[in-house]
């Protein structure tokens, strides 16, 4: 998916690197590169140690025919963490059994898709609906559609964005509300239990590229757009405007993710932009202008969506990169704690535009905070599943 970078032009006016880029094949089973901390005094926010051990559990190659694009644009774990859905250029929703992906003894065929649904348009976003075996999708034709996974058919659709691409879709906890962001510079909020009953609209100064409800159940919706700004709305009163503002990115805001509670009763959000940074923001009760707590850099993001996700329980941020690497940051430090070359074990991090990039990432939320799972999808259609385990204190101290 292309990455709009200025408030004066919409996403539709930009080239689509995922569609046009010559895609590279192949995958590496390298366990990853631990990025050492900078020498004392150079950067006080550099990680003193890597507290996590990451392992590649499974590589699922693309099944696309030669010359065909199979770029993955979105990945999402279902609420139970047992299923994974992917979507992208190939006009397919693929569902995977997570246990099979994590089982190193499983055969390659056993780790393939458990189900596949063909859809009529390229997909920008896939999102599981809470409390139901339903996947919602936003597509390039401006349509939001829900698919019944068990029957493999569409259960309903809404086409209310005037045919402009839907970049993002999200559900509130309990599926009491849904939201979509579009090239038409609006975010729509509606009740998925009665999708034709109407909706409310929040407007932005550019294409709305990302939306996410507060996962704790609060009435807040975070929205990021091509006008370089991220804002938070109270969905009970969208017409009154934003209740919090995050200004500071130099280019389009491509992802916005809630990061759990901050100090006191403060709220925290992580944003990602085409300026090559992720940023952590915090604001307290009664405050409208969020404070930038930290900026994270190292990955490359200037013209493509590279994915960004927050494992809220562990305080970790994952992202893709145009250098074709997976990056993991700890919210406490500005530098990455782990980097994995997605295609080829010896690619330098500076190898931008080398034939592919990591285009989507997601964490499996909940569960054991000492161990987790991270999935990443590439512009070449390759899917990789990683496990991470918190190291014992003496092991972490021994890294340096």
């Amino acid at each position: 998916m292309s990455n709009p970078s200025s408030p004066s032009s919409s996403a539709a006016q930009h080239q689509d690197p995922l569609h046009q880029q010559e895609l590279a094949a192949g995958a590496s089973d390298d366990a990853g590169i631990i990025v050492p901390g900078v020498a004392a005094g150079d950067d006080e926010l550099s990680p003193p140690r890597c507290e996590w051990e990451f392992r590649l559990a499974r590589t699922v190659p693309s099944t696309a025919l030669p010359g065909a694009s199979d770029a993955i644009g979105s990945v999402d774990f279902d609420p139970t963490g047992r299923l994974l859905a992917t979507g992208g250029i190939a006009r397919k929703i693929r569902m995977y059994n997570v246990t099979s992906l994590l089982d190193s003894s499983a055969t390659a065929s056993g780790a393939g898709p458990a189900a596949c649904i063909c859809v009529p348009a390229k997909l920008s976003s896939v999102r599981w609906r809470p409390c139901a075996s339903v996947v919602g999708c936003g597509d390039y034709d401006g349509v939001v559609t829900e698919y019944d996974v068990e029957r493999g058919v569409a259960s309903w659709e809404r086409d209310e964005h005037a045919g402009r691409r839907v970049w993002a879709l999200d559900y509130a906890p309990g599926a009491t509300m849904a939201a979509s962001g579009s090239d038409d510079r609006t975010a729509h909020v509606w009740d998925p239990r009665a999708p034709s009953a109407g909706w409310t609209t929040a407007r932005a100064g550019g294409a709305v590229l990302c939306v996410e409800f507060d996962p704790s159940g609060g009435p807040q919706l975070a929205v990021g757009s091509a006008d370089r700004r991220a804002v938070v709305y109270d969905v009970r009163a969208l017409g009154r405007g934003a209740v919090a503002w995050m200004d500071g990115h130099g280019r389009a805001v491509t992802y916005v993710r809630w990061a759990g509670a901050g100090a006191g009763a403060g709220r925290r959000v992580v944003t990602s932009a085409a300026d090559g940074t992720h940023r952590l923001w915090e604001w307290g009760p009664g405050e409208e202008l969020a404070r930038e707590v930290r900026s994270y850099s190292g990955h490359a993001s200037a013209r493509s969506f590279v994915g960004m996700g927050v494992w809220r329980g562990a305080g970790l941020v994952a992202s893709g990169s145009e250098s074709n690497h997976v990056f993991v940051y700890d919210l406490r430090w500005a530098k990455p704690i782990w980097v994995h070359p997605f295609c080829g074990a010896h690619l330098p991090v500076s190898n931008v535009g080398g034939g592919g990039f990591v285009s989507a990432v997601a964490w499996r939320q909940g569960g054991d905070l000492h161990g987790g799972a991270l999935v990443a999808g590439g512009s070449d259609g390759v899917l990789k599943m990683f496990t991470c385990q918190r190291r014992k204190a003496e092991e972490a101290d021994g890294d340096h």
Side-chain angles (χ1 to χ4, degrees), residues 198-255:
W199 66 93
T200 55
T201 301
R203 301 190 180 277
V208 175
L209 307 179
C210 46
V211 296
E212 186 171 82
F213 285 100
D214 181 353
S216 69
Q220 285 79 32
L221 174 71
V223 174
S225 65
D227 64 2
R228 310 174 186 180
R229 172 179 291 168
V231 298
V232 174
Y233 293 94
D234 186 322
V235 295
R236 298 169 298 184
L238 279 178
R240 297 181 184 177
V243 296
W245 302 76
M246 288 156 273
D247 286 312
H249 280 294
R251 299 185 71 186
V253 176
T254 51
Y255 297 93

Side-chain angles (χ1 to χ4, degrees), residues 99-111:
T99 300
S100 296
L101 293 177
L102 295 175
D103 183 3
S104 59
S105 65
T107 63
S109 59

Side-chain angles (χ1 to χ4, degrees), residues 33-38 47 49-50 327-328 335-339 349 400:
I33 304 168
I34 296 175
V35 180
V38 178
R49 65 185 64 85
C50 182
F327 281 73
V328 174
K335 303 300 182 181
I337 62 170
W338 183 78
V339 180
V349 174
H400 300 286

Side-chain angles (χ1 to χ4, degrees), residues 16-25 67-71 303 324 343 353-357 379-381:
D16 191 338
L18 276 180
H19 180 56
Q20 297 181 358
Q21 184 169 342
E22 188 173 331
L23 303 179
S69 177
D70 196 20
R303 61 187 185 276
N324 214 16
C343 180
F357 59 96
S379 63
D380 55 1

Side-chain angles (χ1 to χ4, degrees), residues 367-394:
D368 183 4
L369 296 185
H370 293 282
L374 168 66
V375 67
S379 63
D380 55 1
V382 173
L383 187 72
K384 291 196 175 189
M385 179 72 77
F386 303 92
T387 60
C388 57
Q389 193 74 26
R390 192 184 294 273
R391 296 168 182 261
K392 296 179 181 179
E394 58 270 20

Side-chain angles (χ1 to χ4, degrees), residues 267-351:
R267 310 309 305 277
R268 299 194 304 172
V269 161
V270 179
T271 57
S272 182
D275 59 9
T277 66
H278 310 307
R279 304 192 186 201
L280 174 64
W281 308 84
E282 184 173 341
W283 68 98
E287 296 179 330
E288 293 186 355
L289 186 60
R291 301 180 300 278
E292 183 181 322
V293 177
R294 191 158 296 124
S295 179
Y296 309 91
S297 61
H299 62 287
S301 175
R303 61 187 185 276
S304 305
F305 283 87
V306 297
M308 188 271 283
V310 177
W311 183 10
R312 294 181 296 275
L316 298 181
V317 177
S319 76
S321 175
E322 290 169 4
S323 66
N324 214 16
H325 291 72
V326 180
F327 281 73
V328 174
Y329 300 85
D330 188 303
L331 285 174
R332 297 170 292 179
W333 300 305
K335 303 300 182 181
I337 62 170
W338 183 78
V339 180
H340 175 83
F342 205 71
C343 180
H346 304 294
L347 289 177
V349 174
S350 60
N351 181 35

